[in-house]
Amino acid sequence: MALGAVMLQGYESDAAEQGRAQGLAQAAVIAEMAITPALNSGETAPSEGLTEGLTTAQLDGMRDATEHAVFRGSVLRLRLRSFSGRVVFSDDGTTSGGVPASDPDFRAASAGESRARVIGGGADVIRVLQPLVASASGQSVGVLELYLPYQPIADQIHAQVNRAWWRIGGALTALYLVLALLAWWTTRSLSRYAARQEYQATHDGLTGLPNRADFRARAEVVLRAADRAGGRGAVVLADLNRFKEVNDTLGHHAGDELLRVVSTRMQACLGPDDILARLGGDEFALLLPDRDRDEAVALLEKICDRVSDEMVLDGVPLSIEASFGVSLYPEHGVILHDLKQRADSAMYQGKRGAADVVVYAGGQTGHPHQWLVVQAELRHALERDELVLYYQPKVDLPAGEIRGVEALVRWQHPQRGLLPPGEFLPAAEHSGLIVPLTEWVLRRALADQADWTAAGRDWALSVNVSARNLEMAGFPESVRDALAATGTPPHRLILEITETALAADTGSVVRAVMQLGELGVGISVDDFGTGYTSLAHLRGLPITEIKIDRAFVSDVERDPQSQAIVRSVIELAHGLGSRATAEGVETDEISRWLAAAGCDEAQGYLFGRPAPWTQISITEGVGR
């Protein structure tokens, strides 16, 4: 609107200017072509001005010259005036009227300057006051007062304005159409983008299933409605067994395809009201509303059978199994957090047994509820460097000299004080935290070993590693790099692996043990006798030490069966070319018995409790 007003004002100004210019040009033509010849047609040319008026011949010449122009309408009114303002000729014969002699335009014209102005009063006209020059003398002899029609100019300008408006209107219409198209396209794109963002925020990118956040939101709605209406149902957590082996053996692309196939198979078994979500990794969650215990278990067993059907990945036929933990509402609670914890407990209970589907039973808490809290706090502990290392001596028998130390991690908790490993290692074992935790222990222990070596103590270092560490791709290389960073010879590092880890007999564990042995790192089988290791597992492995579990050592003095077992393990170790080390030695009598039985090394409170390495005395030994 403002642009239109400015443009209209500009066109009006241009029209007035054009009218003045055209009026001056037309007046100059009339004066030169009509008025001056008519005045010169008489006996005497008006060289001294028009004060005396015109002769009869001049009047007739003027009438003849102006009659045609007035008749055609190109001139509306014409007057010849003397410098005093007297009208000496008028096309209508009057001798009065016209511009007063005192008017600035009249005075300017009397002084030789032409003036034009558009004047109005309903119908606009162009008034021109033009100096009248006699051709004989070339001097101004009077003033020509002309009134010319403005309407033709106004019509021309109006036509130009209309054309301009049409052009502007067309351009604006096109612009508006373009802007409308852009606005529509932008709105549509933003809507699609917002929809994609919302979908990505609530769904798993790999399987297309609801993610953890969406599962929580939807499950809480269902649980609140069930609580109000007295409904029932089940919350289920599922975990694929040996999924990591697929990733390690066939690659992550095969693992991704496996997750897609499994999610499709599970979804195909569910009803329209059931919810299946991927929580991350190989973990899934299900919400099964309006089902009792038997119905939920029957459905999950059907899913188990469907999931375990053979599939082919990268040309390799394989079968995958899953473990399901079930909690029922309202029997086991109505809060999602509690139900997930209890389903998690049941799932881990099933992983240790033979059942694929386990329903939570109070008291069978294979996975303590506080582990979730511990895992969250442990992450912060690693970031804040709240962990500390203690060391327990390992002495040779019978001399009792310290040959090495075992690194034992402690947690200096800001609220609970110094925590032993039993308070947090089980939680770390069942999560990915065991990997960064072991890396931290290894780096810190090797740094401490460099310090005590510089202090003149030639102690070997033992560090515990879990099956998760050995299954992790690149673990032997990370150990090699840690040794190189401190300049530690590989033979001064011993990695203690639990018998259970070896019993798993996974290809990745065996490969890692072999690679570590090739590096020169010592391999110790920890807690031997408590797991399910077949002797075939030990054959061919670079075992440098077998540690006899404290359960057999503690009563070796008086229990013949324990004595027989310990002697057998010592003989086995020596037969494999390894050292035999007894754990949990607390009395001189046990120490002497072990030495007599040929045990190479011992470890226990008799020789020293775990402590910072600076507090370990080099004189600690038998009888302490």
Side-chain angles (χ1 to χ4, degrees):
M1 187 66 72
L3 176 63
V6 171
M7 293 182 63
L8 181 60
Q9 184 178 2
Y11 277 119
E12 290 176 349
S13 176
D14 291 345
E17 183 62 31
Q18 185 175 345
R20 288 192 294 271
Q22 187 168 335
L24 290 173
Q26 191 172 348
V29 172
I30 291 174
E32 183 177 353
M33 303 298 296
I35 304 302
T36 298
L39 293 177
N40 292 334
S41 65
E43 299 83 353
T44 303
S47 59
E48 300 299 329
L50 301 177
T51 306
E52 300 302 326
L54 301 179
T55 64
T56 301
Q58 290 172 329
L59 289 172
D60 291 339
M62 286 294 300
R63 291 189 187 96
D64 292 339
T66 59
E67 181 177 6
H68 182 65
V70 173
F71 176 75
R72 286 176 54 234
S74 60
V75 176
L76 300 178
R77 184 71 63 231
L78 184 147
R79 296 187 181 92
L80 292 182
R81 301 181 63 175
S82 65
F83 294 129
S84 63
R86 176 190 171 196
V87 178
V88 298
F89 175 79
S90 173
D91 65 281
D92 62 354
T94 61
T95 57
S96 61
V99 178
S102 59
D103 188 279
D105 289 346
F106 189 88
R107 290 201 302 270
S110 298
E113 182 183 352
S114 299
R115 292 287 181 90
R117 187 185 300 275
V118 178
I119 59 176
D124 292 343
V125 298
I126 304 172
R127 185 190 72 186
V128 181
L129 295 173
Q130 171 84 17
L132 188 59
V133 179
S135 61
S137 62
Q139 295 180 350
S140 177
V141 296
V143 175
L144 173 61
E145 183 179 353
L146 279 175
Y147 291 88
L148 305 173
Y150 177 70
Q151 191 59 42
I153 297 175
D155 291 343
Q156 182 181 2
I157 294 297
H158 182 68
Q160 293 176 351
V161 171
N162 282 340
R163 286 194 295 273
W165 275 118
W166 277 107
R167 292 191 189 101
I168 293 172
L172 288 176
T173 300
L175 177 62
Y176 290 151
L177 287 175
V178 171
L179 291 176
L181 181 61
L182 285 174
W184 172 80
W185 181 84
T186 302
T187 302
R188 186 164 174 260
S189 298
L190 289 175
S191 298
R192 287 183 172 181
Y193 176 76
R196 286 196 303 271
Q197 290 294 101
E198 181 180 1
Y199 182 85
Q200 292 171 1
T202 57
H203 288 75
D204 172 54
L206 179 64
T207 63
L209 296 175
N211 60 15
R212 183 186 299 271
D214 192 47
F215 177 78
R216 180 177 62 249
R218 295 169 64 180
E220 286 176 347
V221 171
V222 173
L223 290 173
R224 283 195 296 269
D227 188 34
R228 289 193 298 268
R232 62 184 179 181
V235 171
V236 183
L237 293 184
D239 185 90
L240 302 184
N241 300 331
R242 301 198 180 278
F243 172 73
K244 192 175 186 306
E245 292 182 26
V246 176
N247 271 340
D248 293 342
T249 305
L250 301 180
H252 289 282
H253 67 285
D256 291 345
E257 180 61 23
L258 172 62
L259 290 172
R260 284 190 286 265
V261 171
V262 168
S263 63
T264 300
R265 291 180 175 182
M266 293 173 70
Q267 189 71 59
C269 299
L270 300 177
D273 296 329
D274 300 326
I275 301 173
L276 171 65
R278 182 185 175 212
L279 303 183
D282 61 340
E283 296 178 280
F284 295 85
L286 298 93
L287 182 70
L288 308 177
D290 301 321
R291 284 186 170 88
D292 61 20
R293 178 193 184 99
D294 294 340
E295 292 170 337
V297 170
L299 174 61
L300 294 174
E301 288 177 346
K302 175 184 176 183
I303 293 176
C304 278
D305 293 339
R306 183 71 183 91
V307 167
S308 62
D309 286 347
E310 185 177 279
M311 66 184 76
V312 178
L313 296 177
D314 279 0
V316 178
L318 58 87
S319 178
I320 196 76
E321 295 179 349
S323 297
F324 294 83
V326 186
S327 62
L328 304 172
Y329 61 88
E331 180 181 345
H332 299 142
V334 294
I335 304 299
L336 179 62
H337 178 266
D338 298 337
L339 291 167
K340 285 179 63 178
Q341 280 191 339
R342 286 156 190 169
D344 197 32
S345 172
M347 181 181 69
Y348 278 95
Q349 185 75 16
K351 278 184 172 293
R352 289 194 298 272
D356 293 329
V357 180
V358 177
V359 179
Y360 172 78
Q364 295 181 358
T365 54
H367 188 232
H369 297 204
Q370 66 270 22
W371 281 9
L372 296 177
V373 176
V374 171
Q375 289 168 2
E377 291 182 343
L378 190 54
R379 287 188 178 89
H380 295 300
L382 286 167
E383 296 169 359
R384 299 167 183 166
D385 202 25
E386 294 175 359
L387 302 179
V388 294
L389 285 184
Y390 279 28
Y391 297 90
Q392 187 171 35
K394 295 168 64 177
V395 305
D396 70 342
L397 296 177
E401 295 180 0
I402 299 177
R403 296 300 185 188
V405 292
E406 179 181 356
L408 301 170
V409 66
R410 301 289 189 266
W411 180 1
Q412 190 63 56
H413 195 283
Q415 283 82 40
R416 300 168 59 191
L418 189 66
L419 300 181
E423 293 286 332
F424 58 91
L425 281 185
E429 284 279 359
H430 288 283
S431 70
L433 285 174
I434 194 62
V435 175
L437 177 60
T438 303
E439 291 176 353
W440 181 92
V441 171
L442 184 61
R443 289 195 305 269
R444 181 62 58 87
L446 287 172
D448 287 348
Q449 186 183 38
D451 291 340
W452 72 59
T453 301
R457 306 182 183 186
D458 189 24
W459 298 339
L461 170 66
S462 295
V463 174
N464 292 277
V465 296
S466 72
R468 279 181 179 260
N469 295 120
L470 295 171
E471 292 171 347
M472 184 182 67
F475 178 70
E477 289 79 8
S478 67
V479 173
R480 180 195 61 201
D481 295 342
L483 289 167
T486 57
T488 303
H491 71 273
R492 296 191 62 204
L493 173 64
I494 300 170
L495 297 182
E496 297 192 6
I497 305 168
T498 63
E499 184 184 7
T500 304
L502 289 177
D505 195 27
T506 64
S508 55
V509 170
V510 172
R511 283 193 300 271
V513 170
M514 296 300 293
Q515 291 172 9
L516 290 167
E518 291 171 1
L519 288 175
V521 174
I523 302 298
S524 172
V525 181
D526 196 14
D527 300 332
F528 190 83
T530 61
Y532 304 96
T533 305
S534 167
L535 295 180
H537 292 137
L538 302 180
R539 186 175 54 188
L541 294 179
I543 306 299
T544 57
E545 179 185 53
I546 293 180
K547 299 186 75 173
I548 309 168
D549 189 75
R550 67 181 64 247
F552 306 110
V553 174
S554 60
D555 57 356
V556 73
E557 301 173 83
R558 56 187 178 275
D559 183 13
Q561 289 186 339
S562 294
Q563 293 174 1
I565 291 173
V566 170
R567 284 195 177 95
S568 297
V569 175
I570 293 173
E571 187 175 349
L572 172 65
H574 292 164
L576 294 173
S578 306
R579 296 187 312 277
T581 300
E583 298 181 288
V585 179
E586 298 184 359
T587 68
D588 287 328
E589 290 77 15
I590 293 177
S591 175
R592 286 192 292 270
W593 188 95
L594 291 169
C599 187
D600 302 291
E601 295 180 357
Q603 180 179 357
Y605 287 172
L606 175 65
F607 312 110
R609 292 177 177 271
W613 74 265
T614 54
Q615 298 178 19
I616 298 176
S617 171
I618 60 174
T619 61
E620 292 185 67
V622 176
R624 174 175 171 77

